[in-house]
Amino acid sequence: MRRNKNFNGCFYGRQTPTKYEILKEQAREKAINWQLEASEKCLSYAELYDAGEYFTKLAKRYGLIKEFKENGII
């Protein structure tokens, strides 16, 4: 039986998350907050395009493309 070495978002054995892990979580939070704000107001096509480009760049940087696509962010 293989054990998952990933524990609470950190690699097993480390107590603190890396800078990359922190920034990845912040990217997720930005996307969640943007979704909540976007659902409350009418956005122009230009605003949607700009947000899509921004979140596509973030998704590529932090390996979140599949997650962002599944959640309708990009």
Side-chain angles (χ1 to χ4, degrees):
M1 182 171 140
R2 292 183 76 187
R3 296 185 92 182
N4 187 359
K5 293 184 179 184
N6 195 7
F7 180 72
N8 288 338
C10 296
F11 189 74
Y12 181 75
R14 271 192 292 122
Q15 297 298 317
T16 58
T18 63
K19 183 177 179 181
Y20 176 83
E21 291 168 337
I22 292 169
L23 293 174
K24 185 175 183 175
E25 189 58 35
Q26 287 176 353
R28 280 190 184 111
E29 290 174 16
K30 279 184 184 181
I32 291 168
N33 290 334
W34 179 81
Q35 275 189 318
L36 292 172
E37 291 173 11
S39 69
E40 295 174 356
K41 55 185 171 179
C42 292
L43 298 174
S44 68
Y45 287 118
E47 290 172 319
L48 290 172
Y49 178 80
D50 290 341
E53 290 293 310
Y54 174 74
F55 286 112
T56 299
K57 184 178 176 182
L58 272 182
K60 286 180 182 178
R61 182 178 294 155
Y62 297 112
L64 297 168
I65 293 174
K66 183 178 179 182
E67 183 175 335
F68 280 12
K69 283 184 178 181
E70 287 174 353
N71 292 318
I73 297 165
I74 57 173

